Amino acid sequence: MQRVAFRKSELAAAADPLGAATSLATFAAQTTPLSREERQQIVRQALILVGENYAHLPLKRAMHSIDPVQRLKLLLQTLESAPDEEQPVEAEFHRELTDVFTSLHDLHTLYMLPVPYNAMTAFLPFLVEDYFENGQRRYLVSHVAEGFAHATFVAGVEVRYWNGMPIERAVLQNGQRYAGSNREARHARGVETLTIRALAVVPPPDEEWVIVGYETLDGAHAEIRFDWQVSPSIPNAVDPDDEGARRAAASLGNDLENEIVRRMRAALFAPHVLEPRRASAEAEEPATLRSRFPDVFTPKVVTTPAGTFGYLRIWTFHFSPERFVPEFIRLIEALPPRGLIIDVRGNGGGFIMNGELILQTLTPRAIEPEPLQFLNTPLNLQICRRNGPLSQWADLSSWQDSMAQALQTGAVFSAGFPVSDPEACNAIGQKYFGPVVLITDALCYSTTDIFAAGFQDHEIGIVLGTDGNTGAGGANVWEHRNFITHVLPGSVYQDLPNGAGMRVSIRRTIRVGKHAGAPLEDLGVIPHERHFLTRNDVLNDNKDLIARAVTELTNWPVRSLKLTAQEKSPTRVRYFAEVAGMTRVDVYVDDRPTHSLDVENGRVTFEAPRSAHLELRGFDAAKLVARYRT
C-alpha cells in the first residue's frame, strides 16, 4: 500500500486547494473550544429557530418520528446543570448539535460551525461517482486533481473498498451523516461527500486518513492511502456588493453544503471555470455560445444522426437575477431550435426568482409561481407585521391576515403567496419554441426543486431523471444573522459566538397545476422517465444520457418562430414571421387582438404601429404552441 503526497498546482492560491492545504491533524490543533456559556447561547437560539420559525416542523415530526425541540432542551439542560467533568468535549458538542439538525432531513435547516471550521473544506484529491452495469450499482474514480499523479490510481479505476469496508456500505453509512430528504438524496449525498466535506456544515472526518481498495485498469487489486487535507473554501459566484443579489436574499432557496462542495470540485477538477478569461480562451464553441459566467452555465451544441440539438448545463441558481436571466435567454436563443436539453444535476439552488422567471421562456403557458407558507406561530406573525411594504428585507404583509386568524381557525400554516412576482414571471414571454427535456438527479435541491416542479406542473416537457427523485427541498431559507440585522432586530435573536451560524426553512413551498397543494419538501419531483448512468456517461461527458435525452426530443414536433422587421416608416412597421409547426398566428398589439393569420409556406406578414408592444400566439390547429412577446 502506498501513501501519496501532493504537489502544488499552477493556479492562483485563492483557487488552489492543493497549494493551500494542510493536514487534518494540523488543522484540528488550531481550533479554540467554546465556553459553556457560548454553547448555551447557541442552543437557546436553535430552540427559537426550530421551535418557533421552522416551517416543516409538523411534517418532520410526522414523517421521521422525531422531536428535535426536546433534544435541544435536553442538551441545554446538560450545558446548564451538569458539572464541568460531564460537559461534552468540543467535538462532541458540535456533533450532537449537528445530529439534531440532521435528524430533520432538511438541508436548508442546519447548524454552521464556528471559526475556524466555517471557512474550510476537507478533501481528497479525487472524485468518486456511481453508475450502473447489468442492474448493479458500481463506483469508479471519475477525476483526479490537477497536481496529483500516480501510476495506477487514475480516472477509470473501480473503487471496491473504503477503509476496509465494501464501498456500497461505506457510501450508505456516509449518507446517513447528511440530511437528505429521501433515500435517493441520502445516497447521492453519500457519494458526493465521500471525498469532499464542507466543515461549515459537518464536523471534520473522524479518521485522519483513508485507505482505498481499488481495481486497476488492467484488473489487479491495489490499495492506496490518502491523508485528509483541509483548505479554505472557494467563494461563491455571488458578488457581495451586487444590489440585485442583496434584494433577492429574502427569497433564497439553496443547499449551502452543496454549493461549497460544488465550488471545491470545480477548483480541484475543472479550475478553468473559476477563471472566466481562461474558460473563454479554452472554449471550443462559437463566441455566441461561450458563457459569460462559466461557473453558472455550460452551453454546447450536440450533433447526432437525428439532428442538431442544444444542451445547457445550469450549475447553480445562486447568482444575481439581473445577470442570470438575460444570460439564460441569450444562450437558449443561440442554441439550435430543433430541441433543447437543460441539465440541472447537482444544482443545489439559489435565488427562487431565478428558477421561476426563466420558466416562461420555454412555454406558451401562463406561469403560476409556487405559493409559500409560514408556520403559524406568534413569533412568525410578529415578523410579518414588522416587515411591510417599506421593509428593507421583504414585504410580508400578504401573510398577515391569515396568520392573525389562525388563533380562531386553528390553521397550522398561513395562506400561500409567491415570492416571485407573477407579472414578472410572464412579462418576458417564450424565447425557445422547440421541445425541451429537463435532466435531474437527487442532488437537485431547493430552487432547483422549485424549477423542476414548475417545469413539470406547467407541462413544459419531459423530466428525465438519473435518480428516482429530486432532493426534495421545498422551502425558502433565511440565515440566523438575517433575523438580527434585517428581519426582527432588537428581539429574541442574538449574535452567535465565534462566527457560528444557523439557517432555517422559514416558508414552505406548495406545488401548482396538476400537483396543486402538494408540499415539495420530502416528496420532491418524480421524473417522467429514468436513465441509469453508465460507465460511458461518467467517463465520456454523459454520452449515453444525452443520447437518451435526444431520443425523447425526437418524439415531439419541431416548432420555431422568428420575427423580423422588414420595412419601417415614422409611424408603422411591417413585420415578417417565419414559423414552423404552426398553422395559425394571432397578433396582439398593446394587448389587443388585431390579426388572425393562417400560415402559408411557413410565414406570415402584418403591420403594426412603430412603438407598439407585440404578442404573437402560434397555434397548431386549436392548440396554443407558441407565445412570443417583444
Side-chain angles (χ1 to χ4, degrees):
M1 180 181 67
Q2 293 181 320
R3 179 175 178 175
V4 298
F6 309 129
R7 63 179 176 81
K8 291 189 177 183
S9 70
E10 297 176 355
L11 292 178
D16 178 11
L18 296 180
T22 185
S23 70
L24 186 61
T26 301
F27 170 75
Q30 299 170 354
T31 61
T32 302
L34 297 169
S35 69
R36 180 191 288 207
E37 292 73 20
E38 288 173 330
R39 297 180 189 184
Q40 293 173 17
Q41 174 81 344
I42 291 173
V43 177
R44 290 191 186 103
Q45 291 296 295
L47 273 167
I48 294 171
L49 289 189
V50 176
E52 301 186 53
N53 298 127
Y54 184 42
H56 301 311
L57 186 58
L59 174 70
K60 299 299 185 177
R61 280 172 164 162
M63 288 196 71
H64 304 294
S65 301
I66 58 171
D67 192 346
V69 174
Q70 179 63 13
R71 284 188 65 181
L72 289 170
K73 289 179 178 178
L74 291 172
L75 178 57
L76 180 60
Q77 184 182 53
T78 298
L79 294 172
E80 290 178 336
S81 59
D84 290 343
E85 59 270 18
E86 296 180 12
Q87 290 292 311
V89 298
E90 180 81 1
E92 184 184 352
F93 170 76
H94 292 311
R95 293 188 187 281
E96 173 65 19
L97 193 53
T98 299
D99 190 56
V100 173
F101 280 86
T102 300
S103 72
L104 301 173
H105 296 277
D106 180 358
L107 297 167
H108 282 128
T109 304
L110 49 85
Y111 165 57
M112 298 186 298
L113 278 69
V115 173
Y117 305 98
N118 59 11
M120 306 298 284
T121 300
F123 70 92
L124 303 172
F126 61 96
L127 188 63
V128 174
E129 297 188 57
D130 59 324
Y131 70 98
F132 287 85
E133 185 173 279
N134 299 323
Q136 298 295 315
R137 196 189 297 267
R138 305 182 72 170
Y139 301 84
L140 59 74
V141 174
S142 61
H143 297 81
V144 295
E146 289 190 7
F148 169 79
H150 189 269
T152 62
F153 192 85
V154 295
V157 301
E158 297 277 345
V159 178
R160 300 297 190 188
Y161 291 92
W162 195 267
N163 285 334
M165 188 184 304
I167 184 61
E168 176 75 8
R169 192 180 307 167
V171 167
L172 294 175
Q173 186 179 87
N174 186 50
Q176 293 304 314
R177 296 190 180 103
Y178 298 89
S181 296
N182 52 56
R183 183 185 62 81
E184 297 265 12
R186 285 190 288 278
H187 183 275
R189 191 54 57 104
V191 176
E192 182 188 50
T193 60
L194 203 60
T195 60
I196 304 178
R197 299 181 188 175
L199 302 189
V201 178
V202 294
D206 291 319
E207 69 279 9
E208 292 185 8
W209 61 81
V210 169
I211 299 174
V212 180
Y214 65 101
E215 182 179 310
T216 66
L217 295 181
D218 59 8
H221 294 277
E223 286 188 344
I224 187 171
R225 168 177 159 169
F226 292 93
D227 292 346
W228 277 103
Q229 302 292 301
V230 179
S231 177
S233 300
I234 310 300
N236 65 42
V238 176
D239 182 350
D241 297 323
D242 186 275
E243 180 62 28
R246 285 201 297 270
R247 290 197 305 270
S251 65
L252 185 63
N254 78 325
D255 171 2
L256 175 65
E257 180 183 37
N258 175 282
E259 180 69 11
I260 295 172
V261 170
R262 184 187 69 83
R263 297 280 291 174
M264 182 60 75
R265 285 177 61 164
L268 286 168
F269 311 116
H272 60 279
V273 305
L274 301 179
E275 300 179 78
R277 291 183 181 178
R278 179 178 169 187
S280 178
E282 296 180 359
E284 297 181 358
E285 301 291 351
T288 54
L289 281 181
R290 292 177 188 168
S291 173
R292 296 183 178 121
F293 314 113
D295 189 35
V296 180
F297 299 108
T298 300
K300 69 179 179 180
V301 174
V302 177
T303 302
T304 75
T308 302
F309 301 85
Y311 172 92
L312 182 61
R313 187 75 180 260
I314 307 177
W315 296 101
T316 181
F317 288 100
H318 197 198
F319 199 65
S320 168
E322 280 82 355
R323 293 187 288 171
F324 181 94
V325 176
E327 180 68 353
F328 176 83
I329 294 172
R330 185 185 73 83
L331 292 173
I332 64 172
E333 289 184 325
L335 287 165
R338 176 62 183 86
L340 176 63
I341 303 164
I342 298 179
D343 190 345
V344 291
R345 288 174 300 145
N347 187 328
F351 298 125
I352 293 174
M353 60 185 64
N354 279 339
E356 295 193 307
L357 286 173
I358 64 174
L359 289 170
Q360 63 188 299
T361 68
L362 306 171
T363 177
R365 296 172 178 266
I367 299 299
E368 180 185 358
E370 288 193 357
L372 283 78
Q373 298 174 305
F374 282 95
L375 182 68
N376 280 326
T377 67
L379 185 56
N380 282 342
L381 176 57
Q382 185 182 355
I383 288 171
C384 290
R385 284 175 169 165
R386 178 76 69 90
N387 292 272
L390 300 180
S391 170
Q392 297 299 307
W393 177 245
D395 181 5
L396 307 178
S397 57
S398 298
W399 286 268
Q400 289 182 26
D401 289 346
S402 63
M403 297 181 75
Q405 293 169 357
L407 183 62
Q408 289 79 34
T409 65
V412 177
F413 296 101
S414 70
F417 300 93
V419 297
S420 300
D421 180 3
E423 183 175 344
C425 287
N426 294 281
I428 299 170
Q430 190 174 5
K431 298 298 181 184
Y432 193 87
F433 302 94
V436 186
V437 165
L438 178 66
I439 301 178
T440 63
D441 68 1
L443 293 174
C444 294
Y445 200 75
S446 197
T447 293
T448 313
D449 269 306
I450 294 170
F451 173 71
F455 186 94
Q456 189 175 74
D457 293 344
H458 292 91
E459 301 177 36
I460 293 173
I462 294 296
V463 179
L464 176 63
T466 60
D467 291 304
N469 206 336
T470 58
N476 168 210
V477 60
W478 292 353
E479 293 194 16
H480 176 270
R481 59 186 176 86
N482 298 142
F483 289 89
I484 300 171
T485 58
H486 294 95
V487 180
L488 202 63
S491 64
V492 294
Y493 302 102
Q494 299 178 10
D495 287 326
L496 298 177
N498 207 24
M502 294 178 199
R503 302 175 123 214
V504 66
S505 295
I506 189 69
R507 294 180 282 193
R508 72 170 194 164
T509 57
I510 303 298
R511 295 186 69 172
V512 300
K514 292 183 177 180
H515 300 90
L520 193 51
E521 182 73 18
D522 278 334
L523 304 180
V525 176
I526 299 174
H528 299 109
E529 301 290 339
R530 175 79 185 268
H531 173 81
F532 292 90
L533 289 174
T534 65
R535 181 183 177 90
N536 195 31
D537 283 323
V538 176
L539 295 179
N540 293 302
D541 203 19
N542 303 297
K543 187 173 182 179
D544 295 337
L545 172 61
I546 291 175
R548 172 66 185 278
V550 166
T551 299
E552 297 293 341
L553 290 173
T554 57
N555 293 327
W556 296 84
V558 179
R559 306 192 198 279
S560 63
L561 190 159
K562 183 179 181 181
L563 181 68
T564 56
Q566 282 188 313
E567 301 175 6
K568 298 181 182 180
S569 72
T571 60
R572 305 286 291 179
V573 179
R574 184 174 178 83
Y575 289 97
F576 166 77
E578 186 176 359
V579 303
M582 305 172 209
T583 59
R584 185 181 97 237
V585 174
D586 290 352
V587 180
Y588 288 73
V589 176
D590 294 331
D591 296 325
R592 299 183 65 180
T594 60
H595 303 77
S596 185
L597 307 169
D598 292 331
V599 177
E600 297 181 2
N601 299 320
R603 63 184 62 185
V604 297
T605 59
F606 63 92
E607 289 187 359
R610 185 180 181 88
S611 60
H613 171 270
L614 301 181
E615 180 176 311
L616 276 62
R617 298 182 186 179
F619 292 83
D620 185 0
K623 181 181 179 182
L624 177 68
V625 296
R627 185 167 174 258
Y628 174 86
R629 305 183 74 180
T630 60

